[in-house]
Every structure is written in structure tokens, then in C-alpha cells.
Amino acid sequence: MKKGIGHYSIGDPFDNFILIKSASRGVASNGKPFLTLILRDATGEIEAKLWDITKEDEDVFIPEQIVKLSGEVNQFRGKPQLKIFTIRPSQTTDGVQVSDFVEKAPVNKDVLMGKLTEAIFEMHNPSLQRIVRALIKKYQEALLTYPAATKNHHEYVSGLAHHVVSMLALAKELHALYPETNKDLLYAGIILHDLGKVKELSGVVTTSYTLEGKLIGHIPIMVEEIGNTAKELQIDSEEVLILQHLILSHHGKAEWGSPKAPLIREAELLHLIDLIDARMNTLNRALGKVKPGEFTERLFALDNRAFYKPLFEGNS
Amino acid sequence: MKKGIGHYSIGDPFDNFILIKSASRGVASNGKPFLTLILRDATGEIEAKLWDITKEDEDVFIPEQIVKLSGEVNQFRGKPQLKIFTIRPSQTTDGVQVSDFVEKAPVNKDVLMGKLTEAIFEMHNPSLQRIVRALIKKYQEALLTYPAATKNHHEYVSGLAHHVVSMLALAKELHALYPETNKDLLYAGIILHDLGKVKELSGVVTTSYTLEGKLIGHIPIMVEEIGNTAKELQIDSEEVLILQHLILSHHGKAEWGSPKAPLIREAELLHLIDLIDARMNTLNRALGKVKPGEFTERLFALDNRAFYKPLFEGNS
Amino acid sequence: MKKGIGHYSIGDPFDNFILIKSASRGVASNGKPFLTLILRDATGEIEAKLWDITKEDEDVFIPEQIVKLSGEVNQFRGKPQLKIFTIRPSQTTDGVQVSDFVEKAPVNKDVLMGKLTEAIFEMHNPSLQRIVRALIKKYQEALLTYPAATKNHHEYVSGLAHHVVSMLALAKELHALYPETNKDLLYAGIILHDLGKVKELSGVVTTSYTLEGKLIGHIPIMVEEIGNTAKELQIDSEEVLILQHLILSHHGKAEWGSPKAPLIREAELLHLIDLIDARMNTLNRALGKVKPGEFTERLFALDNRAFYKPLFEGNS
Amino acid sequence: MKKGIGHYSIGDPFDNFILIKSASRGVASNGKPFLTLILRDATGEIEAKLWDITKEDEDVFIPEQIVKLSGEVNQFRGKPQLKIFTIRPSQTTDGVQVSDFVEKAPVNKDVLMGKLTEAIFEMHNPSLQRIVRALIKKYQEALLTYPAATKNHHEYVSGLAHHVVSMLALAKELHALYPETNKDLLYAGIILHDLGKVKELSGVVTTSYTLEGKLIGHIPIMVEEIGNTAKELQIDSEEVLILQHLILSHHGKAEWGSPKAPLIREAELLHLIDLIDARMNTLNRALGKVKPGEFTERLFALDNRAFYKPLFEGNS
Amino acid sequence: MKKGIGHYSIGDPFDNFILIKSASRGVASNGKPFLTLILRDATGEIEAKLWDITKEDEDVFIPEQIVKLSGEVNQFRGKPQLKIFTIRPSQTTDGVQVSDFVEKAPVNKDVLMGKLTEAIFEMHNPSLQRIVRALIKKYQEALLTYPAATKNHHEYVSGLAHHVVSMLALAKELHALYPETNKDLLYAGIILHDLGKVKELSGVVTTSYTLEGKLIGHIPIMVEEIGNTAKELQIDSEEVLILQHLILSHHGKAEWGSPKAPLIREAELLHLIDLIDARMNTLNRALGKVKPGEFTERLFALDNRAFYKPLFEGNS
Amino acid sequence: MKKGIGHYSIGDPFDNFILIKSASRGVASNGKPFLTLILRDATGEIEAKLWDITKEDEDVFIPEQIVKLSGEVNQFRGKPQLKIFTIRPSQTTDGVQVSDFVEKAPVNKDVLMGKLTEAIFEMHNPSLQRIVRALIKKYQEALLTYPAATKNHHEYVSGLAHHVVSMLALAKELHALYPETNKDLLYAGIILHDLGKVKELSGVVTTSYTLEGKLIGHIPIMVEEIGNTAKELQIDSEEVLILQHLILSHHGKAEWGSPKAPLIREAELLHLIDLIDARMNTLNRALGKVKPGEFTERLFALDNRAFYKPLFEGNS
């Protein structure tokens, strides 16, 4: 059985299919062109150099191309590098596809969609429910496949829906503990809060920011979408304004991209639930890579802290 | 000839019409109710106490009511206070109206509208021109009467249009000095940058923030409006996105309410032109109230600085 | 039936028992001494002046004394003030006691103790459980009666235990959603995180900071206590260090009083749970005082924001 | 026709004269000394390595030496590098001079001097005019050749005068729009605001900070110079103090090097005009290097933002 | 024997000479003018109201006038107020003078001048010594009488010289402990660091900021003075630049008014010595006013902290 | 006579004993393993590569092993690198020991201990003296050998005691200048302020942070130690609390790791003395490495400033 590239050690031979994430051309000190490839599968990435390339190589070894590669994992300036012995593009008969090489949410799309549907079904407020339903319908495919971010947390296929579903579970419990909160509003805010990312980000495999993402950002994008949807559905009640406020304020303060700080109880709670779920996702994945008694790498999204994994165990 | 309340000194008698800006009920130490009135005309405001009021007084002396008042300007805890001898509500036969008592832009509405029309006429880019034209048409009345803010700068009738027209003049000269800049884009950005204030603020005489203003704010409001207008006009080119970015970024940075900092040359320039015109308006009005050799009061919008007015003169 | 002082309006007569929270002596402009009293019951506070006092009055009308008072609610500089007609200290035969006049947690002490015991019983890790048990035993009486703070959140009798119990319920659900977390560690951290407040604060009725509270603070106090307890119980495993870290870091960052930011997953989660419960307590109580369509007063603990209470309803 | 080094692509052969900006000696892994050269012409810079150098090479290939070089543009660690085939110092017969290899303002020195003279001629206030005239005379040569900075904006020959002249044009228009402003004061402030840079910076070709620049800086240097000049001219009126304040405050706030923030209207305007001209210079040059639809490199002087160049055109 | 106003309690009769620090006219609710006087002696200040004043009273009771006053110390809104029974201006025959009523340094001017002379005498570097000597000579009178600030530390007659002499003593010891430091440079920096205050502040008794103080400030004033003095003495060595840097950087960083942070060892040390002496002066005086076991008032210059005075004593 | 590695130039041959500070394994581009060694003696460090290593080499060339090495100092990417010709582990007969290769305080341990004993002997307050004596006894060995930090200041053998002794000398003089200060308290605070570092840091030669250091830090560690010691000595007076406060607050503010800012005069002074001694140590050592007229490298602990060493001399 084949293990993923994320689990290879220095010196290990490699003979497997792998996906090209990016390819950039350079000229070596001998004057000959070469390619720097970033290769990835669902477990991680590695760099490789393809020396003395031809014009055809440049056309073949491009991003999102799967290749069959044999070589060896070496080390270059402290980082692993895959030394290439042979390389060829995959063929249809190889039976491999791009989706085999990307990380995915631990829950599949059907389950995620089921959970979303269930939450919408629980809602009683018709205005909120209709807006949410309309927007989910409009962006369903993207919602179910997009990552929640390019890095930091839920940065994998279906990460966006996974994040939303996880937050809904949290919201359900928090509503039980603080019954004064308006569950419908909280659900609507959670489901839509990051949906603007389907326009802010470029796609699923090699995710980057779109022009709209760079110039406007997912928060104002979604505020506008909610306004449009409400207009189309001829909903003109206070719910629209409040829901737009929840989206607008969910980053918590101006410095973090919310021109208005939360001024509604459920907006404050949405912000905190978002924080918890994003941080727990980051922490669980980082701690999953280290042994008890070790520290994780520094985590950018957690103020560059490295976290310690205790030696002892507690609950069974 | 009658001078305005802003020019009275301690000890001066007062006998004139004046507008009630706000009225709040209190109970005196003798147990009797009284009203604290804030009275204003176009030159300033003053506080007054109306003692031993009846139930009818409370119904009559309300905000936006003009009154005929005779009294004397006294001082109370270091601030002027108008001592009331007699007071009565104005009657139709008095020939006074609310608009006589509020500060107005130094340029009248027709001139302002003329300048706006002229600027729009100068534009060549059809997408930008059509969006601007549609929004001006939609909000023309409010644009020509609203203040640009509740305080700090251009906080008077037609202040919004006055601010825009002044910025347009500046933009025209800056475009001549830096011809690489796109004048159409700059004009469009200037005309629309604060137009969301007609929804953010409550009105002309006793201006406060609307619920929409508090929860969303004029920037996202206008981003959404531009999106809607473009959709109605079936304009789908890059101009829409860029124009939305200009509005979104015109406060310059996240802490000041722009979730995106300017990333377009004209967006940066729009931010700086806005800064200059707002600050010059504030400074000119504050310095207009003091004599050479004196300092102004502290100006909140200029980081609480008090400005000095030099003794010497320069240009003729 | 008697309503509380928090529900009186200007002009209402008052004739009831009430508790003196503070009393300070002044000299009136006529040269005669008087007392400024802050009076309170479970629903709020009000100021009152007792004029022309004798030496005996000064000895009788002191903090924590209950008085029978008849008077009228007036207004002085915009704030309510209770005008005193007659006043006398309460007598044993009046059947009133201090605890009748202070706000209390909505759950009683026995229920709170039950919940705490239940949580400790759920723990499997013997080191953590023994330390928690020892400290709870040592400070049980204070833990069950102290407020969690002098203001901002849970600032009422049994507020500390109420806060802890509410956080435990939240932790239980979060552990179910994120099963990688160590529930024992989380429980131990929650139960002890603010226990240092029983030394930081002076007591239950007229709570202020002790000298130890001002110079050391509840966080280092508790870190030391855990160290001592572990030594007494001869526990020397990593659990002690980790638990001390949870307490030390629970304010989240240095500026907020935690010399170490959380570096353990459960420390991060403890910080976030604390944040949610404190904010929900503040928000629910502030929103409980206003009607739909209104804003709360500015809330210091939430960055001075005023929150809006929407008009519509959601969940049934 | 020869294009500049800033326009070469990887792989291009190079055969031309070029200026050595800096040269530093290293020892290669084979133990032999080599030189790392930074070479420049008016369009940009490139690095080159000269291997196996002799003692004479070290004496010949020094900063401000022009060389004739043939080679090829390669790439080394992602950055272009010029591979040297042959290199020799230029001779007088080659007819090349240092000034051919440095970037210059788009306007020549005579025109710049003319504009300055014109502005001084427009001034009516004799005190201000005489101080400005004396200082211009004292530093004329340097003012007309120095850059305005070592990097970020106007970092080319005559950049300082170009910046000043551009700001004067802006000031003229702003004075027309805000006639309350004192044009003489504004002109004097603009002409002198950065003149201290002729002492802060080391020169024109290979500009660095002088010791005086590092320990005192151009702002206090100029404040002192104005004081001295006024004393020599026996001018003792308020103009001197006000003009010193304009220089002292022109960076706008303490964090940016102005121990006093602007407290004079013209000081505030000087700060804003400086900001606009510096930013437009930076932006226009950065956008001039990219195509429509692209982003510029990150601009340090604009908070590290990368700016987008729209696809559409506006004004004709 | 007479005690000072700073030691009176509420209810005490007052019958003594006292100095008017400021006098401002008001109009009472009965329409009659009155004066609010701030009265002071060497131990403190108190407010008083002089009712129903005549035109002559206004001309007589002015700042820096000594008065003979009998009255009583009352309380008004929590602050002491002196109730006036009789008041008259002092006469020459009363034998009182302004200097009797202001706080003075605990060391007299001759001693301070002696210490200064001694320090200058210790210096070996002729350039530094001559500059210091020239400036001390020029400003000797003011240096020996001015306060070091309007508030916060050494805010009394001769406070400036007292601060300098105290810092010199500290510098002498620090030089002994860190013999690498240049004592001459340190002494020169200390003696001149705040000398610009004799131009920044208005005088000794009723100290405020001059226009030069507000627009330029004592730091650039002194940098310029040193430059002038060096020019007059024809000193052109590096010492001048370094000494100017010490003055320029002595506030430690840009936000605190030093456009250059210390870049010379002695500049860093000067900053720290200044900090210690200012803070010890503030603390000793504040703690001198409270009893063991009490906290001082909040100290603005120490980040608004209130300091505790321990109960125990240590060294004999 | 042998000079230290810190004084070698590029090209110098090396033939001497040296200590391995760290060793990390890599794999070369030819697939063979190698070691990157950081070698050090008392004067500095240098990197070296040991190519083509065997399994035995990996076991032999480990941290804290002394080696005999002959080679040559080369340069690699701008930094010196030691090219290895021959290398062998030292033998007992070589007569070298680890302590020969580490930097040491300029004063030996006996002298340092003598100074400490003297200071303790000067103390009169029995509570403070007994606590200090007990803790010094407990940690004497570590106190006399540990560095005061891993970098920035006093980062050498006995650096901690050297720092303390230097601060005590300063405190003695400051107490003489400000006799109101409590010398016993100051001495106790100085001696104990950084003693927690013996638990925070791992040791003397290859110093890093312990787990306790990372999760708790030397400040809370010492606060707890003082509490324990006082309990053991049955001291329960205010001195304990105040001394704990001095330790807790000695970093000056929350952002720097002190959850309480100094609220006791001696705490404020302790903070300032610590600052002075740390900065003087850093500055003196950095300036000791450069010539007059040069700047030091940037000093991280002094906000990344580079300091200038003047050309002139002052005191004899």
C-alpha cells in the first residue's frame, strides 16, 4: 500500500503518481532551462527540479497535470526535495484523477448537504429561511467543494461546508445554553458568513484570490448578495438589514476587516463561534502531526504560537 | 439689523425668533418639572432653561418648533445660557420658517447642481457616466440638501453637495498636474463616495444616524447601490468592480472603516482629496472664528489639535 | 407588593427598606455636614442626600446598614436621586436582612454545588481531580458566594460559581464536538481559572479589590495555590505544570494580564469559553433591560458598544 | 539602438557600457577571491559576479567606474544576474560619462530653476521671500541635482527640485480653491521643506545617509538653518517661527519624525501636498512598469500595497 | 506660626496673606459679575469666589497680586473652596513678596549654581566645556529659577536646576560603575537637555507654554542654540553634532518627541537618567503626602498609576 | 599564543581545539549524509560542514564535545565558514575542558558571591533578609553559573550573578541619592528578580528554554518560590506580598510580561535599574567590537538600533 508524500523521510525512494501544483521556469548556471515543480497529493507537498527541459516539457508539465514519477527524497537547504529519476504525464488508462491528490474534508459532500438542509429546515423565520435557501441554491456546488481559506484553517476540498456544518453544531448547543439567542438568525449568519468566498477565491485545487476578492473581499460581496436576494424575493423587513449586519461584522473589528463591530447579540456570538471552529481546526490538525512531549510548528493564524502536546492523557 | 446667536456676548439682551433643536424634561430641586432647550439659528446654538412648565408647554416646545423669545445671555458654569423672560411659539403670520435657522453651504443648490452636471458631462467613459447619472437622478433631492456629516466638516444644509463640488474642482487640477490619472474614474468616485450618507443620516435639520447607518454604514450601502444600478443598466464591465473598490477604500485603511485599502491609483487620490477638502473646510471655519494671534478651539477631526492664526499677512 | 428601586420613575414616592452601600460625609454651603448615601437593593442603586446630620447619624448610617426610608424619586443633573423625608435604621423586628438587598445568581448554591460535584466526578485523571477537589474544599464557601467580578459580568452573589457552572456546560458540548480535546484538563482549568478572585476581591456585598488583588492579582495567586496544593498532595507530574499554564494564560495575551499566551489546546479553548460566557452574561442582562427596537447602554466590557435588540422573533 | 538594463529578459546577450554602483569582495568555495558587482544605468540595476580576480581588478572595478561589458542575462535564485564574458574599464575615448547612467528627473535643471524663481517672484511677504532667496542661493547647486530620497519617491538626479516644483504647482491651484490660505507661507514651506536633505544625504550617484543625517535628520537641520539665516538677515518677526514650524511639522506626526504636529493651516496643507506628490510619483512610476490587468510590485512607501492597473480607459 | 493652605481641613478658619494665581470673571444667576480666584502659597492651591464685584475689584484682584484674606475652608462638589469674609490687596508695609508664596526646590540657588560649576570644572573636553559654559552664562538667571515643567515633576521654583544637579550626581555614580561611558559628554547632555524650557515656558510663577514652546518645543530650540553657540565659538568638531544628538534624542523615541532615538551610548544613558530622576521626584512627593498603608492619587506621569506605601520599614 | 575564533579573518588557517555547540545531519546532493556543526569558543562561533560522514561520526561529533580541528576560514554566502581538513574528538590527555570554551563574566564566582553576601549582610529587615538568604542558599550553585539570558545581555557563564551584583552597586548609589527609598526592599528585589531563570533556562553551555520556562516563565516561577519560602520560614507579614509584587512587576508593563505594573516606589526603581544595567552591558560589548567613527551591528534588545562610536575622547 502507498503512503502519501507527507510521510516520506529523507533518503526514501519514491515511485508513484503525484499532482503538479505549480511549475516555474528557470535558467541554470550552465545556461540551460529547467522547471521548479511543486508536487502534491492529499498528504502534503514537495519541491522537485526537472533539469535540461525541452520546449515540449514546458507544455506538458503544467499545473493540475498528474505525473508518474520515480526518484528519491533528498534534502536541499534544510528542506526535502524530490530528486527525479524518471517522469511522465499520466494517461487515462492509469485510472488516476485530480481529486485523488487533494486533501478533503473528513465528511463527504452528501453528509454536509444533509446537515445544511436539516439546519435550514429547523428555521421558523420565513424571511431568513427564504434568503438562506435562495443563496444556498444559487451557490450549492461551490459551497460544497470550496475550501474555507487558502491557508490557516479548513484549507481543503469542502472545507467551507465543513466549517459551516461544524459551526451549526456549535450554535445548536450554544442556543440550548443561552436560550435568549435567536437560533434562526444565528443559523442564517453561520450559513452565509463565508459564502462570499466562492467569489473571493479562484477555485478548489490551486486556490488563489480573484480580482474581486482582492478589491472587494468576501464580506462586502456577501452583503450585496443578500441585498439582491432580498430584493428578488421582495423581502423588505428588518431581518435583511440585521442579517447583512451579521455578515458585515463577523470578523469582529475594523482592523480585521469588519467596518462595523458586532452590535447584535447573535453577531457577537457568530464572531466567537467562527473563532472557535477555525482555531480548533487549525490546532487539531497541527497537533495531529506531532508526538506527545513535542511542540507544533509555529501557527500563523494563532499569532505565530507553537503549541505543546502534553504527555499525559485525561479522559477515556 | 439682527445678528445671529453665535455672535452674542455675556450680558446681551436677546429678542428674536429662534429654533428649538432639542428639548428634554427635568425635575427641579423644588419638585417642579422644567425643560432644557437647545436653541439654534444659522450662526450657532445656546442652552436655555424653561422653569415651572405645564403639560401644554411640553407639547408646544418641541424640536423643530420656532419660538419668539426675549431674554438675556448669561453664563452658567463657564458656558453661555439664555435666560428666558418671555417665550411663545411662532405663528404663520410671523413669516419665519425652519430653513431660516439652519446653516447652509455658501453656494446655492442650483449652482451646485450645475457644477455636478458639468462634471458628468465631461466624462467620456459610458459605463461610469451612466452609473453616476442614474444614482444622481435617484438621490438628487437628498444629495442637494443633506449635510456631509453630523459634525466635523460640511455639517450644514447642502454640505454633501458642497463637499463633492469642491472635491471635483480639486480633482480637475490634480488631473492636469498628473495626467496619467483617469479623470472619469476620479469624478465618478468623488460624486458617489459619500452618497450613502443620504441613507446613513436621518435628515437635514436635526441630523442623527439611522439604524441602517449604525448597522451597515454609508460605505457598504453605496457599494451595494452601485452593484444594483449596474445590474439594472446591464453594465457588467470592470468599471463596476473598480468603482465599487473606490467607494469601499476611500477611508484609506481598515481602522477607519475601509475593509480594503486603496489598490487603484485613483482610489488613493480620492482618499487624499477627501482628506484635504474635509480638513480645509474644518480649518477655515474654525480659524474664521478667531483673531490673528489666537488659537482655535481643539478640533476633534484634526486629532484634537488647536490651530494658531498668525499675525502677519502674505498674499494680497 | 413592593417593586425594586431599579424600577422607580422620576416623581414616584418611595416607602420601603433599603441597604446603605456607601456613605460619605460632606459640608454644605451653609457650613453644615451632610451624608451622601448610595442605597441599593437587588434591582439597582440610587443616590440620596441626608442633610444637617448629627454625630450620631454618622455612626448609624454606615455601609451594610439597612434603613427604612420614605421619600420621593427626584432628578439631579440628569440622574435620579432619592429625596429623603424620613429615615431610620432597621431593627431586628423588621425581619429584613442584608442578603435580601443584593442581586443573586439565578441558580441557587445547592444546585451550583451539585453541578460542580458532578463535573469533578466525571474526571478520570487522578492528579487533576485531586488538585481540583482539594482547592474546592479549601475555598468552597467563598466560591459559592463570591461574584465573578466587581462589574461587567456575573457581578452578583454566587456569580463566580454561576460562571464556572455555565462554562462547564459549554465545555461538555465542545468536548463532544471536538473529541480530541482533553475534557479533564478543560474541566480543571474552568473550575480553577477565577478561583483566585476569592483572594483578589474583598467580599460579597460591597466588593472591592484587596491589597493582594491590586499588587498580585487573581492569576498569579492561583498559580501559586496550585503549586502549593500539588506539593501538599505530593503530585509532581506534568499535569501540575500544564494546569498552572491554563490558569496563567486564560486571559489570552500579555496586554490582558496573561504573561504567557495559551500554548496548550485546552488553554486556548478555556480562554474562548471564558470569553463567550462572560459576554453572553453581559449581553443578556443588558438586552433584558431594553425593548425591541432599542439600543442598550454602552457596555464597557464589550469595547463600549451599544447593542441593538431587533424587532422580529425567530425561534419558537 | 541600445535599450537599458531594466528592459533585458533572461537569456538576452548584453554588450554595452554600464556603471558600477557597488563592488564587494568575497572568497569562493575554491578559496579564490571574487567581486560581487551591482551595475546600473538609467533604467535599472543588475548583479554580476567577477570570478578569480587579481589585486589590480580590485583597484579598477570600483564604484562610479564605467565598464564595457559583454555577457548574458541569466537567472540566479529567481533574480536576474549578468554573466560576464569580458569586462574592461571605459576610456576617455569611449565618450561615456557617469551622468549617462543615472536616472534623471523628466524636467531639466534650467526649467526647474526657472519655476522656482517664478514662485519666489510671486511672493509678497518680504521676510519669507528673503529667507527663501538666501537659502536657495546658498544651496542652489545641490538643490538642483540631489534626489528627494534614497528610495521610495523622486529617487533620481534633480528629484528634490522636481518634487518641489511639482508641489508648487499643486499649491498654486489649492490656493485658488481655498483663497483663505497664505500662499507666500505655503510656497516658502514647500521650497524649504526637504532642503535639509542636501546635508542628510551623501550625494547624487550613490546616495546614502551622512552621519549628520543619521544623528540629526533633515528636519532639525533645516529648522536650525532657517534660524541662522533669519539672524544673518536680521529678521526677527513671527514669520521666522511660523516657517520653522512648517518645516518641523511637515511629516504630520511624532511617529513620522515631526516632534510637533501641524498647528498652522498652511503646515497642515504642506503635509498633505507632500503626501500627494510623493505618492503620485511612486504610483505613476510603478504603474508605468506594468500592463493593464496586472498588479505592481509591493510598494514599501504605500504600506506595502500592490496596485492594480485597470483594463479600461477613461479620459481621452 | 502659620501653616500653608495645603494643610487646611474643611471647616478651618483662614486669616492670612495668599497669592492670586488666576482670576476669571463670571456672571452669576442673579446677573451680577463675580470672580473665580485660584489662590496659592508654597504648599498648595484653593479656589475662592468673590461675589458682586465692582469694576475696581476686577482691576485689583489679578494674577500675581498678594491679598490679605479672612474666611473659612468649605467644600463645594467634593473639593475644598475658600469662603471669603474679607479681602484686601497687600501693601508694601505688609512685608510680603511673591516669592514667599511659591514652592521652591529644597536646595537653594547658590548651592545649585555651585554644583553646576563644579561639574563643568570636572570636564576635560574643551569643545564640550566651552559650549556648556557659554550657554549657562547666557541663560544663568532663568536656569536657576525656572521649573522643569508645568506639572508632573520638579514643577517648582528652581526645579530645572534642581533636576539637572540631581541628574549630575547620578551620572557621576553611573560613570564610576560603567567607566567606558564618556563623562564629559554625559555632563554636557544633562546640563543642556532641558535648557530650552527657559524659552518653552513663560516664567516662574504662573507658568504656561509660550508660542515658541507650542510651535517648536524645547528640544529643537536647544538643538538650534547649540548650533549657534558652536558657530560663535568657532567650534566645528564632531562634539557639536554629537551633543545636538543627545539633546534631540533625550525623550527616547519619536512618539515622545525625539525625532531620532538615542544612537550614542551616552544619549541612551541620558534618557534613562532623566527618566529615573523625574520619576523619583514625582513618586517621593506623592508618597510624602500619604500614610503607610495608603495609596497615592493617580499619577499622570506614571501612566496614571496609584502607588502603595508599605506598612513596614526597612533600612535605618 | 592562540587567539579565539571570533578574531579570525577570511583565509586564515585554523589548527586548534574547539567546542561543538550543535550538530545537525543533512543529506548532500550526491545522496551522502553530512553534519552541519556550530563550533564555538569563548570569543565567538563559526559554522563548519563535515562531509561524507559515517554512522560513528554521528555518535562522536555531538554537542558539548571538544574537537581538535585543522582547516581554513572561508566564506560562504557572505558568512565565514570553517573548511575542515582534519578533525578528531579531544582526549583526556589533551587537557582541555568545556569551561575553556565558553564566555564568562569578567568577575569570578568568588568575588560575585562575596558581593552578594555583603549586600545581604547590609539588610536590616529580618523578613526580607531571611527569605533572600533561604533562596540564595537553595539555588546558590546555579545562580553563580547561569547566564542572565540566552541572548541580548549578560548571556555568558555567571552572567546572572554578574547582572545582580552590578545592579546592587547601582542600587546602593541610588539609595544614597534618594534616601527615601527602602534599600532592603530594593536589594531583596534585585537579588531575586531573575532567579527564576535557573528554572526557566536549561543550563550553562547550550542554553535553551525549559518546558517550565516556556509555559510559565521566570516571573511567576519566582513569585511562587517566594510564597513557598515564606511559608516554610513562617513569615506572614506584608513584606512577602510586597516582595512578590516587586518580582511580578519588574518588566514594567503587561506587554513585557508583568501582569501588574510597578505600584511600589522600589518596584519602579528595580525596573529602571534592570533596564540600565541590561542596556549598558549590551552597549558596552557591542561598542567594544567597533572602532571610533563606526556603527555597531543592529541591537535587537535596543529596538534594532545601530549605535555610533564617536571619534573624540572626553574624560581622562
Side-chain angles (χ1 to χ4, degrees), chain D residues 200 211-217 220 223-224 227-228 231 238 241-242 244-245 248 254-255 257 259-260 263-264, chain E residues 200 211-217 220 223-224 227-228 231 238 241-242 244-245 248 254-255 257 259-260 263-264:
Chain D
E200 183 180 61
L211 183 61
E212 194 177 357
K214 283 176 179 166
L215 296 189
I216 309 291
V223 169
E224 185 183 338
N228 285 343
K231 197 167 290 177
E238 203 181 80
L241 178 61
I242 302 292
Q244 287 181 310
H245 173 74
L248 191 66
E255 292 89 308
K260 295 287 176 185
L263 298 177
I264 302 283
Chain E
E200 184 181 63
L211 184 61
E212 194 176 357
K214 282 176 178 165
L215 297 189
I216 308 292
V223 170
E224 186 183 338
N228 285 343
K231 197 168 290 178
E238 204 181 80
L241 178 60
I242 301 292
Q244 287 181 309
H245 173 74
L248 191 67
E255 292 89 308
K260 295 287 175 187
L263 297 177
I264 302 282

Side-chain angles (χ1 to χ4, degrees), chain C residues 83-283:
Chain C
K83 184 164 192 161
I84 300 174
F85 298 153
T86 68
I87 185 170
R88 67 162 174 83
S90 70
Q91 300 152 355
T92 21
T93 55
D94 289 328
V96 289
Q97 47 193 333
V98 169
S99 63
D100 300 339
F101 296 87
V102 291
E103 193 183 359
K104 289 180 210 62
V107 186
N108 79 38
K109 291 204 296 189
D110 292 346
V111 174
L112 292 170
M113 192 61 212
K115 298 271 188 188
L116 274 170
T117 309
E118 199 179 297
I120 296 170
F121 192 78
E122 270 185 52
M123 294 168 71
H124 292 79
N125 182 304
S127 303
L128 293 171
Q129 200 194 37
R130 288 175 60 213
I131 294 170
V132 169
R133 211 186 283 279
L135 282 161
I136 289 302
K137 196 173 160 197
K138 180 168 179 190
Y139 293 113
Q140 177 167 337
E141 182 50 31
L143 168 61
L144 291 176
T145 52
Y146 263 63
T150 61
K151 55 175 189 230
N152 294 332
H153 76 97
H154 299 90
E155 67 275 35
Y156 43 70
V157 174
S158 304
L160 179 52
H162 187 220
H163 180 39
V164 165
V165 163
S166 182
M167 285 173 70
L168 285 170
L170 230 140
K172 184 165 192 159
E173 299 304 339
L174 282 166
H175 172 62
L177 292 168
Y178 306 108
E180 301 90 335
T181 52
N182 183 329
K183 195 174 71 176
D184 288 7
L185 184 54
L186 204 48
Y187 274 26
I190 288 171
I191 296 172
L192 303 183
H193 84 291
D194 270 354
L195 190 56
K197 294 208 170 173
V198 306
K199 288 184 154 186
E200 183 180 63
L201 301 177
S202 66
V204 176
V205 181
T206 53
T207 308
S208 63
Y209 284 83
T210 60
L211 183 62
E212 193 176 359
K214 283 176 177 166
L215 297 189
I216 309 290
H218 70 281
I219 286 184
I221 287 171
M222 203 61 212
V223 170
E224 186 183 337
E225 282 276 354
I226 291 172
N228 285 343
T229 305
K231 198 168 289 178
E232 283 163 19
L233 298 174
Q234 291 176 296
I235 300 174
D236 188 26
S237 55
E238 204 181 79
E239 279 90 337
V240 182
L241 178 59
I242 301 292
L243 183 56
Q244 285 181 310
H245 172 74
L246 257 78
I247 306 313
L248 191 66
S249 67
H250 87 268
H251 280 189
K253 50 175 151 174
E255 294 89 307
W256 300 336
S258 279
K260 295 286 175 187
L263 298 177
I264 301 283
R265 175 174 34 202
E266 288 73 17
E268 181 69 22
L269 201 50
L270 169 59
H271 167 58
L272 292 168
I273 291 173
D274 191 16
L275 215 60
I276 287 191
D277 191 55
R279 291 194 179 172
M280 283 300 115
N281 183 266
T282 306
L283 278 174

Side-chain angles (χ1 to χ4, degrees), chain F residues 246-303:
Chain F
L246 257 79
I247 305 312
L248 191 66
S249 67
H250 86 267
H251 280 189
K253 51 173 146 173
E255 294 88 308
W256 301 336
S258 279
K260 295 287 175 186
L263 297 177
I264 301 283
R265 174 172 37 202
E266 288 72 16
E268 182 68 22
L269 201 51
L270 168 60
H271 167 57
L272 291 168
I273 292 174
D274 190 16
L275 215 59
I276 286 191
D277 191 55
R279 290 194 179 171
M280 283 300 116
N281 183 267
T282 305
L283 277 174
N284 285 341
R285 292 164 74 219
L287 286 163
K289 292 182 192 155
V290 301
K291 303 199 193 71
E294 292 180 355
F295 278 83
T296 65
E297 58 180 343
R298 295 194 168 277
L299 303 173
F300 179 80
L302 282 136
D303 316 308

